[in-house]
Amino acid sequence: MKFRTILTIIGVVIGTSSIIVMVSIGNGAQKSITDELSGIGSVTTLQVYQDLSSMGMTSMGGGKTDDKAILNDDAIKDLKKIDGVVAVTPVVNLNGGEIEVDREQYGVSLMGVDYAVLEDMRYVTTSGKKPGANDENSVILGKDVLTSITYTGASTQLTESEVKPEDLIGQNITMTIKRTNANGEEEMKTQKLKVTGVLEATGGNEDYSIIADYNLVTELNEWQTGRKANVKKQGYTQALVTVEDSSVVNAVTTEVEAMQFTVFSMQQILDSMGSVFQMLQILLGGIGGVALLVACIGIVNTMTMSIYERTKEIGIMKVIGASISDIRNMFIAESTMIGLIGGLVGIVISLVLSVLINLVAGFFIGGEGGVTISFITPGLVIFALVFSALVGLLSGVRPAIKAANLSSLDAIRSE
Amino acid sequence: MHKDFKLGKEDINILKGINLDIEQGEMVALLGPSGSGKSTFLNVLGGLVPPTSGDIMIRDYRISEMTENELCLFRREHLGFIFQSYNLISTMTAMENVALALTFAGVKKEIRKERAIEALEVVGLVDRMGHKPSELSGGQQQRVSIARALVNHPEIILADEPTGNLDSKTSADIMEMIYRLNREENQTFVIVTHDPDTTKYCTKVIHMRDGLIESEVNQ
């Protein structure tokens, strides 16, 4: 192989690897952020609310309550029927509870879910176990439930309790709630709760709550507010919908929205971030693309030089029976090979570079299990290979046509 | 086989009206001083340059009206070329040079090799088939180029001063070989030459001068 050709291939190698490495860094950023997000908030859980805007509309529009979608038990049943939905539970919250652990007072809030479907929900306990369907007084503690937040002037401080939630597993704790009765007197009520497990961090409200049975929380709520909840008419404020896996999230979201409820899911955040990262990748890829553009000019140059050098050869081939397309294809094949070889070598080099970047970054940033700064997907590899071959092919077209159109007699006479 | 020529080139009239019939199996020598148009005549005959006016018929094919691609296909099947400067591709071995003509005809690789070796056998160069042109003598290179012209079994072989760069001994060898091929294969040869010795192998000797045929002698 000619030295000139090798230099041209090196140009393509640099172009290809700069695109791959640039895009891989964009990929890496996306991967580490989405991994983190999907790690904390469960991507398979949708939060469903009564449509706030329609509530406003109906109250202003003179009570056309028929149109309003109410998140009541019927709605819960309908939600359960949607394809891909595994579990649906209403959520009721209770605030202002207090528990005493080790002579320390902790303010807590309870999050009541349907224990009958608790097993199907994606709550994972780090230690202990989930309460069964009939363990009405059993609860799971959120990971940070004993972490008290103290406000000292302008700054907020998180103080970790010396008692870990895990230490309470198997114990009974006493929770106290208060209410002010009609006479302005304060009344207290205590409730014994049995801790069966601690919930893995979800990144949501659960971390700071005690997960309890829906019926228990409703009961306590009724005592605290002094009136019965009319679920049938007013509905629940919130429901949690657990779906099979992340692939059906969007489909389920659309169906729930069609039922006129407001849906919030981690997937929506990931989707909107996806388009931001796509922009970032196009930008980074474009920067890498400049190097490939230069390489492309190099291929055109090499091929043109090669034609001048091989004019006589082309002439001979035409005289002994090569057609125009034979000559053209020969040169296009050659420049495509330059692109393809350059692309292949570029891919190998980028894979090595990617590993090195992550190693070096891991060395400086630290952390267990390595750091992902650069992440090369199989799709990126295939794209790079096809793209570099295409660049070679397109670069070869003009020189090849030029070669094919040489007059055979003039060509054979040239030295 | 029938061929008609009526040619004229505008600015410089290299061929000023040539009318000639050549029969299959003939061995024609074209003689004349330089500038007489004999090489141009050969190139027009091979379809390498189009005539300004007039017709060239080879068997039933009207060469003068073919497109470049049709000419390529025609040359591939019916014509072989031998040049004064051999015109071998320097990066290829003797065998590859000969096989190249078959590549464009779409012949399979094994058959290409087989037939290239066959053609090299005819010119007596099988033992040198792995050599590049630079490793061969002038006479050997010319024999490779003859093998290349033969490999497609064309009906007509056009030779432009095939012995022009060779010494008289080698020239005689080459001409003997061409003569033998002409006899054995009944291939038609048109040979441009300025070497009168060459003409003794030929069945027809044509003298050209100033773009016209001066004399046509059958022998």
Side-chain angles (χ1 to χ4, degrees):
Chain A
M1 202 185 286
K2 278 210 163 66
F3 185 57
R4 189 178 63 206
T5 313
I6 293 171
L7 288 180
T8 313
I9 290 174
I10 290 173
V12 181
V13 169
I14 293 170
T16 315
S17 35
S18 60
I19 286 185
I20 299 179
V21 169
M22 283 293 199
V23 174
S24 81
I25 288 171
N27 272 344
Q30 182 171 19
K31 186 173 153 44
S32 46
I33 288 175
T34 49
D35 279 1
E36 196 144 315
L37 280 180
S38 45
I40 49 173
S42 174
V43 268
T44 52
T45 303
L46 310 180
Q47 299 174 23
V48 178
Y49 300 93
Q50 292 209 33
D51 198 334
L52 299 173
S53 59
S54 76
M55 276 166 80
M57 290 268 285
T58 45
S59 63
M60 276 177 17
K64 283 204 292 177
T65 42
D66 296 354
D67 292 1
K68 188 178 130 188
I70 302 169
L71 193 54
N72 54 19
D73 289 323
D74 290 342
I76 299 277
K77 268 183 205 139
D78 290 342
L79 287 173
K80 183 77 178 70
K81 281 182 202 150
I82 297 172
D83 271 350
V85 171
V86 178
V88 183
T89 172
V91 178
V92 281
N93 292 300
L94 174 76
N95 295 316
E98 254 181 16
I99 55 168
E100 194 183 305
V101 177
D102 220 11
R103 265 169 275 163
E104 290 265 1
Q105 302 276 333
Y106 296 93
V108 292
S109 45
L110 258 57
M111 188 174 153
V113 296
D114 189 353
Y115 270 13
V117 296
L118 189 61
E119 205 51 48
D120 293 330
M121 293 173 70
R122 299 285 150 78
Y123 285 144
V124 181
T125 48
T126 50
S127 45
K129 57 182 172 55
K130 291 181 188 176
N134 299 318
D135 299 342
E136 226 186 68
N137 293 333
S138 298
V139 295
I140 319 171
L141 300 184
K143 190 178 153 290
D144 296 318
V145 80
L146 297 181
T147 307
S148 50
I149 303 168
T150 49
Y151 299 95
T152 49
S155 69
T156 310
Q157 229 182 338
L158 287 171
T159 323
E160 283 227 30
S161 162
E162 282 175 27
V163 182
K164 298 257 176 298
E166 286 82 359
D167 300 339
L168 298 176
I169 292 172
Q171 293 186 25
N172 284 316
I173 53 172
T174 310
M175 188 184 69
T176 316
I177 55 168
K178 294 171 185 158
R179 74 171 177 190
T180 311
N181 66 14
N183 305 327
E185 291 163 359
E186 206 165 66
E187 291 180 339
M188 301 239 280
K189 182 181 166 76
T190 56
Q191 175 69 43
K192 272 205 169 17
L193 302 171
K194 186 180 191 315
V195 179
T196 63
V198 176
L199 194 67
E200 193 186 62
T202 63
N205 293 332
E206 295 91 339
D207 287 356
Y208 297 95
S209 306
I210 293 174
I211 312 287
D213 183 49
Y214 163 76
N215 293 324
L216 176 68
V217 179
T218 308
E219 212 173 277
L220 293 172
N221 244 336
E222 281 168 359
W223 179 83
Q224 196 178 37
T225 56
R227 54 190 155 86
K228 281 223 168 239
N230 188 346
V231 169
K232 191 146 183 66
K233 264 200 174 162
Q234 288 174 340
Y236 303 103
T237 44
Q238 189 194 353
L240 287 179
V241 174
T242 308
V243 297
E244 269 167 17
D245 57 72
S246 56
S247 64
V248 296
V249 169
N250 287 333
V252 173
T253 302
T254 316
E255 288 214 38
V256 176
E257 275 169 351
M259 292 165 71
Q260 290 191 309
F261 294 121
T262 303
V263 186
F264 174 82
S265 69
M266 196 53 78
Q267 190 70 36
Q268 290 168 328
I269 300 179
L270 290 178
D271 284 350
S272 63
M273 275 175 48
S275 58
V276 173
F277 278 110
Q278 206 166 14
M279 289 290 289
L280 180 71
Q281 273 162 9
I282 290 170
L283 189 74
L284 289 171
I287 294 169
V290 173
L292 198 60
L293 182 72
V294 174
C296 167
I297 295 168
I299 297 177
V300 176
N301 188 34
T302 301
M303 294 311 293
T304 311
M305 288 291 289
S306 169
I307 287 162
Y308 283 127
E309 217 173 68
R310 286 155 65 185
T311 299
K312 192 182 171 73
E313 211 173 286
I314 295 163
I316 296 168
M317 289 182 183
K318 286 188 103 174
V319 168
I320 64 174
S323 65
I324 289 178
S325 56
D326 284 335
I327 302 281
R328 195 182 52 216
N329 294 346
M330 197 174 73
F331 278 88
I332 287 179
E334 211 163 288
S335 70
T336 307
M337 278 312 285
I338 290 178
L340 202 61
I341 293 172
L344 277 172
V345 177
I347 286 166
V348 172
I349 287 179
S350 336
L351 289 171
V352 173
L353 273 178
S354 173
V355 171
L356 284 179
I357 288 172
N358 290 338
L359 272 181
V360 171
F363 181 74
F364 284 111
I365 300 169
E368 311 140 40
V371 177
T372 310
I373 293 277
S374 159
F375 178 64
I376 298 178
T377 59
L380 180 57
V381 169
I382 292 165
F383 167 78
L385 195 62
V386 172
F387 194 59
S388 58
L390 202 66
V391 162
L393 190 146
L394 291 178
S395 308
V397 167
R398 215 188 89 90
I401 290 173
K402 191 181 154 84
N405 290 339
L406 284 173
S407 145
S408 41
L409 193 65
D410 292 346
I412 208 164
R413 277 184 185 147
S414 74
E415 281 306 324
Chain B
M1 187 155 55
H2 180 79
K3 297 171 198 165
D4 287 329
F5 304 100
K6 275 193 210 88
L7 299 169
K9 268 215 163 183
E10 279 181 358
D11 302 321
I12 312 154
N13 290 339
I14 297 175
L15 303 175
K16 293 169 183 166
I18 290 177
N19 210 334
L20 181 65
D21 293 335
I22 298 172
E23 299 297 323
Q24 176 158 15
E26 272 195 296
M27 190 151 161
V28 182
L30 279 172
L31 278 109
S34 47
S36 61
K38 55 191 194 302
S39 282
T40 306
F41 174 51
L42 196 77
N43 290 331
V44 172
L45 192 51
L48 297 182
V49 280
T52 312
S53 61
D55 273 338
I56 306 141
M57 295 285 295
I58 299 181
R59 204 185 279 154
D60 293 326
Y61 300 99
R62 197 176 287 269
I63 301 294
S64 44
E65 282 178 4
M66 284 186 180
T67 65
E68 185 162 356
N69 258 329
E70 287 169 340
L71 282 169
C72 280
L73 293 172
F74 182 81
R75 280 201 291 268
R76 201 186 272 175
E77 284 172 27
H78 304 281
L79 294 180
F81 285 87
I82 302 170
F83 299 94
Q84 180 178 5
S85 52
Y86 327 130
N87 281 333
L88 299 174
I89 291 170
S90 56
T91 52
M92 294 182 178
T93 64
M95 204 271 285
E96 286 165 347
N97 262 293
V98 176
L100 186 64
L102 296 170
T103 310
F104 300 122
V107 179
K108 280 206 189 99
K109 196 169 183 183
E110 297 81 51
I111 299 168
R112 284 209 300 263
K113 191 177 172 185
E114 216 170 87
R115 281 175 59 184
I117 291 170
E118 239 169 63
L120 283 168
E121 255 166 19
V122 174
V123 299
L125 266 182
V126 178
D127 53 332
R128 304 242 128 187
M129 66 180 198
H131 290 251
K132 297 224 166 123
S134 56
E135 297 158 351
L136 300 170
S137 71
Q140 287 169 332
Q141 286 187 56
Q142 192 61 294
R143 283 196 279 168
V144 173
S145 95
I146 292 170
R148 183 179 64 190
L150 292 174
V151 76
N152 279 340
H153 302 298
E155 293 107 313
I156 304 160
I157 292 179
L158 304 174
D160 194 353
E161 309 226 21
T163 59
N165 284 355
L166 304 172
D167 59 65
S168 54
K169 166 78 174 63
T170 321
S171 294
D173 288 348
I174 294 290
M175 285 314 295
E176 288 285 352
M177 177 181 295
I178 288 174
Y179 182 68
R180 181 165 56 86
L181 287 167
N182 174 246
R183 294 291 91 161
E184 287 169 6
E185 311 279 331
N186 200 26
Q187 279 167 320
T188 312
F189 277 82
V190 180
I191 303 164
V192 166
T193 183
H194 54 244
D195 175 12
D197 285 348
T198 312
T199 60
K200 67 178 185 230
Y201 299 99
C202 298
T203 55
K204 183 181 271 182
V205 179
I206 293 163
H207 280 270
M208 287 184 67
R209 185 178 290 274
D210 297 331
L212 290 166
I213 294 175
E214 199 179 46
S215 66
E216 187 181 330
V217 182
N218 288 312
Q219 57 184 43

